[in-house]
Amino acid sequence: MYIDGVNLSHLVVHEPGESYQSQTNINRWIEVLVDCPGNLGLFTYRLPAQLEIKPGDILTVPFGTQQMGGIAIRLLPQPNTDIPIEKIRDVEDVVSVGFFPTGYWELLNKVSTYYYTPLIQAIRVALPPGLLGRSQRRIRLTSLGKQSGKKEDTSNYILTQQISPTSTFLSSSAQQIFQLLQAQPAGDYSFVYLQQKVKSAHRGVRELMRFGLVESYLEPPRLTRPKLQKAVTLIGTIDSDLTTRQREVIEVLRRRGGELWHNELLQICHTTSSTLKTLANKGYIVIEEREVLRTEQGPVVTGDRPKSLTADQSTALARIQALDGYAQVLLHGVTGSGKTEVYLQAIAPLLNQGKSALVLVPEIGLTPQLTDRFRARFGNKVSVYHSALSEGERYDTWRQMLLGEPQVVIGTRSAIFAPLPKLGLIILDEEHDSSFKQDSPIPTYHARTVAQWRAEIENCPLVLGSATPSLESWVSLTRDRLLTPHSPLSTQNSELSTHYLSLPERINSRPLPPIEIVDMRQELQAGNRSIFSRSLQAALQQLQETQQQGILFIHRRGHSTFVSCRSCGYVLECPHCDVSLAYHHTEDGAPQLLRCHYCNYGRSHPQYCPDCASPYLKFFGSGTQRVAQELSRQFPQLNYIRFDSDTTRNKGAHRTLLTRFANGEAHLLVGTQMLTKGLDLPQVTLVGVVAADGLLHLSDYRASERAFQTLTQVAGRAGRGDDPGRVIVQTYNPEHEVIEAVKRHDYQSFSTAELEQRQALNYPPYGRLILLRLSSLDPIQVQNTAQIIATALEAWEGFEILGPAPASILRVANRYRWQILIKFAPDELPNLPDWEQVRSLCPASVSLTIDVDPLNIM
């Protein structure tokens, strides 16, 4: 059934519209690309008579003992002669029809080839969850296993003693698995999870099964389906054979337009299902199931009309609208210069032409504010697509895109794969943001790179918008032009189809906020030991008096970075990662909690030092919780809202918190990087950066670029309304070149200096990188494997190898991590080895991730 030697990178799926006659005897076989790790070929299946299947359909097929998702690739007049017909199995079901047109398939092939990822993995990341379902092997406690863990159970005393999890009869791996299952209320975990947590999980499970303590079972695929709901439709007229109750039901239906949902009608009429069933039998109504679309419901917004544009905005808009076909545009506009209004007016004529637009933003937190602005302008033509939606919402939104109606889709990086036909424009807002890059799982794609390919395939413009463009975009889209502060506001290179457009001023000529740099060393010398400088304290006091609003930025969440013993210096660390535990303050009177920000391990805060039993434990460093706590102590009259990943975990939390702040329910918004990304809050007059130094001193060649972008962006939140803004940046290193450039709002000088350093070291954008990440539960095996791979790579030419070396945090979630960095010229991918050959050097216990163009190398 397996066909070897198929080159998937050049497969072309037929257009969905091609016909297929299921009644005929031809093409009764189909080749399917199955979503099964480790199997990179096509598999032949028989077409059941009751199913009509076309290339590009998403299927469920039997595979070994499981059921898995797959893509129908091509119909066959007869199966391969090497396959016995009696061994060919039937397709189970069709999950979705009419997908994967040629252009879309070409895009997925590019992702697969460029990021060295199996094609099925690229397909998986493009589809909404629940379409490529897969049965899952799970392990659960048997009744004997559940009883064996109960100390009070004496009925099977002898057997319990023999198979106790602490007994020497069980190996270490079996004991760990047994304890994990007993700690879980249902006593049930997927085998994949157990493999991640326990070394030699295979042996441990087999051992426990031999004792009868656990059993293995196959969980069937959980496929997302359309949501159906009963609806009642009026079809008859009132007649004499109806009871009073039945006449009331008919009258309610008539007043409500002849249609109501079944449950709603029962509630309004205070009647029962049997009454409605009787009316249906008499022919007065029809009860049928109808699909209910699960889409994100935003608040009702008032309509909005296009705003008057500045001269710079008008020039930028005219240039974008004049583009015909593929082109790349860098829209470099300072914070508050009106980039969003340019987007809106560029999209409007496209919708009238029957075309669609795709708008990508880096964070889910940005989508509520941006979505409201777009819905005010375009109404119900706007859809949202991101990972915080439920599976049903993503599935229904995805299917709505396939209908071909002109629409605007706003989403995070995964929305670059949104199946929009007739795509007329792609926009990446805040294009510099690292959230557009996926680190794991594979493919490790960058939405900006994929957007460039998609714009080229769809033959439409791509607009990259930012106040602080990434250096890659800056060099790529300003190549062959020497841009200085006095250059033209717009330039172009017709040969490369690249355009540079500038918005150097804010709307209504509002000034950029002045930035005050506070040297915290001088604050200490003056006796101020508060986390707030005297300047920031005065500004906060003034905020309280004038009843204005402000933002406090801190780059870490939680209360304190680490907890240390003042007697012996012991630092409380995560037992699963090589990092310290951060202190999180929940609420007054609640237990003090220590949490790992890498694996989410948590424990209560001890009263005494685990090493020397000293009671003198001290919190060090500051997070959003500590800043908020200090605010309450020093400024009890100032109301604040925390805005970080701890407070925005629940669905809709981003919108709720921002709405509360916009409505004036708090003086201050205290948060992390989320606050830096394009939020438009006109009433904010003060921005305080509590500690800029945590952004500067990181062992990453991109640290300076990220620090400049973050500080410039957060400073840009101030003074966007009628009142002037003010920014206070606290630092222990005021002479740092990044701090100096931020103070002057000077992207030009910063980028020039930073690019000189990058060019000297041959780092992006002047060089390219591929990062190999290896991890395993076994520290020796992963180190040896990294060395073997590095040695094998030395046989190839055309690139430089750095490493192998341990990751900056060696152990995360009990997995030891090593890295190999490959550096090469920027023009094209080098003559790299066969990656399947490289993967073959990894034993099953070692995981290898190939990250092309990595942004995070720590």
Side-chain angles (χ1 to χ4, degrees):
M1 204 163 80
Y2 176 68
I3 303 174
D4 200 3
V6 177
N7 187 349
L8 296 182
S9 63
H10 300 291
L11 284 176
V12 178
V13 169
H14 301 181
E15 290 287 354
E18 292 194 3
S19 62
Y20 164 67
Q21 301 296 328
S22 59
Q23 286 75 20
T24 65
N25 288 324
I26 62 169
N27 291 344
R28 292 193 57 240
W29 320 93
I30 193 158
E31 286 183 328
V32 179
L33 183 62
V34 180
D35 182 18
C36 180
N39 289 286
L40 302 178
L42 295 179
F43 297 82
T44 302
Y45 287 86
R46 181 186 289 107
L47 296 177
Q50 74 275 15
L51 292 181
E52 183 172 325
I53 298 174
K54 305 179 187 70
D57 290 352
I58 300 171
L59 313 174
T60 300
V61 295
F63 194 86
T65 60
Q66 306 185 56
Q67 288 182 9
M68 292 191 170
I71 311 297
I73 299 297
R74 52 179 165 241
L75 298 161
L76 300 174
Q78 59 186 28
N80 191 293
T81 54
D82 297 336
I83 308 171
I85 288 183
E86 63 274 11
K87 290 190 176 182
I88 299 179
R89 303 163 76 178
D90 287 359
V91 172
E92 188 75 26
D93 199 3
V94 178
V95 177
S96 181
V97 298
F99 196 51
F100 293 109
T102 304
Y104 195 88
W105 195 256
E106 184 183 346
L107 179 70
L108 295 179
N109 272 310
K110 276 203 163 195
V111 171
S112 170
T113 304
Y114 186 82
Y115 291 105
Y116 303 112
T117 303
L119 179 59
I120 192 66
Q121 200 69 36
I123 293 171
R124 176 171 275 279
V125 80
L127 297 179
L131 279 188
L132 285 179
R134 176 190 301 173
S135 54
Q136 181 177 228
R137 178 66 56 189
R138 299 187 68 86
I139 308 298
R140 64 187 170 199
L141 292 172
T142 61
S143 55
L144 177 61
K146 291 176 182 177
Q147 290 298 319
S148 299
K150 296 180 180 178
K151 294 181 180 178
E152 67 275 10
D153 180 37
T154 57
S155 59
N156 278 327
Y157 177 77
I158 296 175
L159 184 60
T160 301
Q161 290 301 307
Q162 287 179 334
I163 57 179
S164 166
T166 59
S167 168
T168 54
F169 288 99
L170 288 181
S171 66
S172 172
S173 59
Q175 289 181 36
Q176 290 179 58
I177 292 169
F178 196 73
Q179 289 164 2
L180 277 171
L181 289 169
Q182 287 192 320
Q184 211 262 1
D188 189 325
Y189 274 123
S190 74
F191 183 61
V192 172
Y193 175 81
L194 294 175
Q195 281 182 303
Q196 293 171 347
K197 290 294 181 182
V198 180
K199 187 180 174 184
S200 302
H202 282 92
R203 295 178 191 168
V205 168
R206 278 202 305 267
E207 191 175 342
L208 291 170
M209 290 176 69
R210 200 164 60 244
F211 278 112
L213 295 173
V214 302
E215 61 184 358
S216 167
Y217 72 98
L218 206 62
E219 182 184 56
R222 299 177 182 177
L223 299 177
T224 307
R225 299 289 188 186
K227 181 181 179 182
L228 300 177
Q229 191 171 314
K230 285 183 179 178
V232 181
T233 306
L234 180 65
I235 57 173
T237 55
I238 298 178
D239 206 336
S240 56
D241 65 338
L242 297 180
T243 65
T244 304
R245 169 64 71 185
Q246 290 169 347
R247 287 177 185 273
E248 289 175 0
V249 172
I250 297 295
E251 183 61 23
V252 167
L253 272 173
R254 187 182 59 78
R255 289 201 308 267
R256 296 296 184 96
E259 283 189 339
L260 272 175
W261 292 114
H262 189 273
N263 290 340
E264 190 180 356
L265 183 58
L266 292 178
Q267 194 172 4
I268 293 172
C269 298
H270 302 289
T271 187
T272 61
S273 298
S274 60
T275 304
L276 300 185
K277 202 173 291 184
T278 303
L279 283 170
N281 292 336
K282 289 183 177 181
Y284 288 97
I285 62 173
V286 171
I287 303 174
E288 59 184 355
E289 285 196 326
R290 292 187 188 172
E291 182 179 350
V292 182
L293 283 178
R294 296 159 290 192
T295 54
E296 185 187 60
Q297 299 299 317
V300 177
V301 291
T302 55
D304 177 39
R305 292 189 175 185
K307 296 177 173 56
S308 299
L309 300 180
T310 65
D312 295 334
Q313 285 178 305
S314 298
T315 300
L317 177 63
R319 289 287 297 280
I320 293 170
Q321 290 182 332
L323 296 173
D324 184 18
Y326 170 69
Q328 287 188 62
V329 178
L330 177 59
L331 183 60
H332 184 191
V334 298
T335 53
S337 59
K339 292 185 289 293
T340 304
E341 185 63 29
V342 174
Y343 302 155
L344 288 164
Q345 296 197 28
I347 290 171
L350 295 176
L351 296 176
N352 296 332
Q353 297 166 23
K355 296 181 180 179
S356 294
L358 181 57
V359 182
L360 300 186
V361 294
E363 286 276 359
I364 294 167
L366 258 182
T367 54
Q369 196 173 39
L370 201 66
T371 303
D372 289 349
R373 282 198 66 179
F374 272 74
R375 281 185 175 145
R377 192 71 58 90
F378 302 128
N380 59 7
K381 291 183 178 179
V382 178
S383 300
V384 177
Y385 191 79
H386 54 68
S387 59
L389 301 178
S390 69
E391 286 196 5
E393 287 172 335
R394 290 179 74 181
Y395 176 65
D396 286 354
T397 304
W398 182 80
R399 288 190 304 124
Q400 285 290 104
M401 298 179 208
L402 291 173
L403 297 178
E405 297 293 324
Q407 55 192 299
V408 181
V409 171
I410 301 173
T412 48
R413 65 172 177 253
S414 61
I416 189 57
F417 298 105
L420 284 170
K422 301 177 185 175
L423 194 55
L425 182 65
I426 302 174
I427 295 170
L428 259 75
D429 194 28
E430 310 296 341
E431 67 85 28
H432 65 275
D433 200 280
S434 58
S435 299
F436 283 124
K437 178 71 162 67
Q438 176 154 300
D439 287 331
S440 66
I442 57 172
T444 56
Y445 70 95
H446 198 303
R448 183 178 61 229
T449 304
V450 180
Q452 291 167 4
W453 296 334
R454 186 158 191 194
E456 199 167 359
I457 291 169
E458 303 276 1
N459 196 32
C460 72
L462 167 65
V463 176
L464 307 175
S466 177
T468 54
S470 64
L471 293 179
E472 284 84 355
S473 294
W474 178 253
V475 170
S476 172
L477 276 77
T478 60
R479 189 178 293 153
D480 301 328
R481 292 185 291 273
L482 181 62
L483 292 175
T484 68
H486 305 291
S487 294
L489 296 184
S490 63
T491 55
Q492 74 177 83
N493 186 323
S494 56
E495 182 182 344
L496 298 174
S497 298
T498 59
H499 304 258
Y500 174 84
L501 305 174
S502 177
L503 302 177
E505 293 185 357
R506 284 186 159 185
I507 298 295
N508 298 330
S509 299
R510 295 187 182 111
L512 287 169
I515 298 178
E516 177 186 348
I517 307 298
V518 178
D519 188 342
M520 294 302 286
R521 296 171 299 187
Q522 294 180 3
E523 293 293 309
L524 282 174
Q525 291 173 4
N528 179 21
R529 298 194 174 277
S530 167
I531 59 176
F532 304 128
S533 63
R534 290 166 296 177
S535 180
L536 186 54
Q537 289 178 29
L540 290 171
Q541 189 67 44
Q542 185 180 2
L543 202 68
Q544 182 176 321
E545 294 167 359
T546 59
Q547 291 298 300
Q548 291 177 320
Q549 288 185 305
I551 284 175
L552 283 183
F553 169 76
I554 181 74
H555 75 283
R556 288 184 297 242
R557 62 191 174 96
H559 180 281
S560 301
T561 314
F562 65 96
V563 181
S564 176
C565 174
R566 297 177 70 177
S567 298
C568 71
Y570 178 84
V571 175
L572 277 75
E573 294 188 341
C574 174
H576 310 298
C577 310
D578 291 336
V579 293
S580 57
L581 292 171
Y583 169 58
H584 282 244
H585 176 78
T586 48
E587 56 187 44
D588 293 336
Q592 294 178 316
L593 181 68
L594 302 178
R595 186 166 296 284
C596 174
H597 286 181
Y598 286 82
C599 73
N600 211 34
Y601 165 83
R603 61 157 292 177
S604 60
H605 178 57
Q607 288 185 324
Y608 303 98
C609 172
D611 197 45
C612 72
S614 166
Y616 302 111
L617 295 171
K618 182 175 174 58
F619 303 130
F620 290 86
S622 300
T624 48
Q625 286 186 344
R626 187 178 174 199
V627 171
Q629 201 175 60
E630 193 68 14
L631 267 177
S632 299
R633 190 181 68 81
Q634 289 195 43
F635 304 95
Q637 303 305 315
L638 279 179
N639 298 321
Y640 65 83
I641 293 173
R642 262 179 57 215
F643 194 71
D644 56 28
S645 58
D646 288 331
T647 61
T648 56
R649 287 179 178 170
N650 296 332
K651 188 174 181 180
H654 295 90
R655 180 186 292 279
T656 302
L657 295 178
L658 288 175
T659 301
R660 285 178 52 202
F661 187 71
N663 291 340
E665 294 182 29
H667 300 96
L668 281 165
L669 204 56
V670 181
T672 53
Q673 265 87 345
M674 291 182 184
L675 295 176
T676 71
K677 302 182 181 183
L679 295 178
D680 187 20
L681 302 166
Q683 63 274 38
V684 170
T685 58
L686 171 68
V687 167
V689 178
V690 176
D693 304 275
L695 297 168
L696 299 173
H697 308 296
L698 299 173
S699 57
D700 187 345
Y701 75 94
R702 291 183 182 270
S704 292
E705 182 183 6
R706 287 201 187 110
F708 177 83
Q709 290 167 341
T710 300
L711 293 174
T712 301
Q713 291 285 346
V714 74
R717 302 312 108 200
R720 298 167 78 98
D722 296 330
D723 297 324
R726 179 187 180 190
V727 180
I728 299 173
V729 177
Q730 301 182 166
T731 176
Y732 287 92
N733 195 1
E735 61 278 353
H736 196 286
E737 59 271 16
V738 170
I739 300 295
E740 291 286 348
V742 168
K743 182 179 179 179
R744 300 191 304 268
H745 298 280
D746 190 355
Y747 176 85
Q748 185 78 39
S749 67
F750 167 76
S751 61
T752 301
E754 182 68 13
L755 284 170
E756 285 178 2
Q757 294 183 32
R758 298 276 187 94
Q759 193 166 22
L761 297 171
N762 197 29
Y763 274 113
Y766 299 106
R768 295 273 299 284
L769 300 175
I770 294 178
L771 182 65
L772 307 187
R773 293 191 179 97
L774 296 100
S775 70
S776 174
L777 295 168
D778 187 329
I780 304 300
Q781 195 164 40
V782 69
Q783 181 178 353
N784 291 342
T785 304
Q787 189 61 60
I788 290 169
I789 290 177
T791 303
L793 290 174
E794 288 174 359
W796 299 79
E797 297 180 353
F799 51 84
E800 179 185 355
I801 300 173
L802 303 179
S808 57
I809 299 174
L810 175 60
R811 186 173 57 113
V812 172
N814 283 331
R815 296 188 69 85
Y816 295 86
R817 310 182 308 153
W818 280 69
Q819 298 181 162
I820 302 169
L821 192 64
I822 300 173
K823 192 189 291 188
F824 54 97
D827 297 331
E828 58 185 19
L829 290 174
N831 182 23
L832 290 172
D834 180 354
W835 286 113
E836 290 314 308
Q837 183 182 342
V838 174
R839 283 194 173 97
S840 69
L841 298 174
C842 291
S845 61
V846 176
S847 168
L848 170 64
T849 299
I850 301 168
D851 190 353
V852 180
D853 303 328
L855 292 188
N856 179 18
I857 61 172
M858 294 180 65

